[in-house]
Amino acid sequence: PTQPNGQSMDTLLAGYAAGALPKALHALVGAHLELSPQSRDYVSVLEASLGRSFESNEMTRVEHRDERLSAIFALDAAPARAAGAVPKALEHFFGKSLDDLKFRTVLPGVKECQIPTDDGTTAMLYRIRAGKKMPQHTHEGSEYTLVIRGAFSDVTGRYGRGDIAISDEDIDHTPIAEAGEECLCFAVMDAPLRLTGPIGRFFNRFVKH
């Protein structure tokens, strides 16, 4: 599957290894690690490096990073949970199973469930009907989206189960769920999204800035 921007993903995984992420984003990355043996191995390298740096009181850089990443990405995928199952890290964060969460319809073919947070982020679960196109939008901050089931595509590529899409104010996109299966995603945002395109322009006529 297509990987998100390398530097952004590296920063995200480094934040997880250092324990520096907000709770919701920590849960999102933890779920990603359950589904991605490549990232698990990379985070293990980061954690080992951080451990050595704490022992010596000196920051230690990851040596031969590109070679390490090439070896990691060449590994065979580890056995995963049942297809489409919600990762344990997310079930722990939700405090209940997916079946017990209440979704509301926000658009034809799109349902959402907001997960309460106390870390200044907004956490949302989305159920998107197969083949459904989301409204065109951009972001006032950063959005991290983990695919739990199904897949979607946008201007940055295709994202399937276990992939993380990273978006910010420089990306104006229209995610489209892949045909054949509902797309279930968990998204964490640190600022609101902003509609663009025809729908956004229509609603912006009625919004006072």
Side-chain angles (χ1 to χ4, degrees):
T2 301
Q3 295 296 320
N5 177 274
Q7 184 59 44
S8 297
M9 192 64 177
D10 285 353
T11 301
L12 185 62
L13 294 177
Y16 179 90
L21 300 180
K23 292 179 182 178
L25 193 52
H26 185 89
L28 182 148
V29 177
H32 164 72
L33 295 178
E34 289 184 43
L35 303 174
S36 172
Q38 298 95 332
S39 291
R40 281 201 303 273
D41 289 343
Y42 184 47
V43 167
S44 294
V45 172
L46 293 174
E47 290 174 337
S49 177
L50 285 169
R52 289 193 299 271
S53 70
F54 287 137
E55 290 175 0
S56 63
N57 290 323
E58 296 179 0
M59 291 303 295
T60 306
R61 64 187 295 269
V62 177
E63 298 290 342
H64 308 296
R65 173 186 173 279
D66 291 338
E67 291 83 354
R68 287 175 184 263
L69 283 178
S70 295
I72 289 168
F73 291 148
L75 294 175
D76 292 332
R81 299 183 72 190
V86 175
K88 292 181 179 179
L90 289 186
E91 289 185 341
H92 178 74
F93 179 68
F94 300 157
K96 57 182 69 176
S97 70
L98 182 67
D99 292 337
D100 293 327
L101 295 173
K102 297 186 182 300
F103 286 79
R104 68 185 186 99
T105 299
V106 291
L107 290 169
V110 180
K111 296 181 179 181
E112 69 175 23
C113 174
Q114 183 164 354
I115 309 299
T117 66
D118 58 3
D119 57 15
T121 64
T122 299
M124 306 288 294
L125 268 170
Y126 292 103
R127 302 182 72 156
I128 309 167
R129 187 177 61 209
K132 175 68 179 179
K133 179 187 293 187
M134 297 288 285
Q136 184 178 345
H137 65 276
T138 186
H139 304 270
E140 296 181 8
S142 297
E143 178 186 51
Y144 304 86
T145 303
L146 171 73
V147 179
I148 302 171
R149 181 187 303 148
F152 75 87
S153 299
D154 65 7
V155 294
T156 64
R158 177 189 181 275
Y159 300 91
R161 178 167 165 82
D163 291 338
I164 297 176
I166 302 175
S167 304
D168 58 22
E169 64 274 9
D170 294 326
I171 296 177
D172 191 330
H173 59 164
T174 306
I176 304 174
E178 201 166 271
E181 183 180 15
E182 175 188 75
C183 184
L184 176 65
C185 298
F186 178 61
V188 177
M189 295 166 278
D190 58 20
L193 60 80
R194 178 167 54 85
L195 293 176
T196 55
I199 292 178
R201 288 194 292 270
F202 175 79
F203 282 108
N204 287 338
R205 294 168 53 194
F206 304 97
V207 177
K208 294 181 179 180
H209 297 281

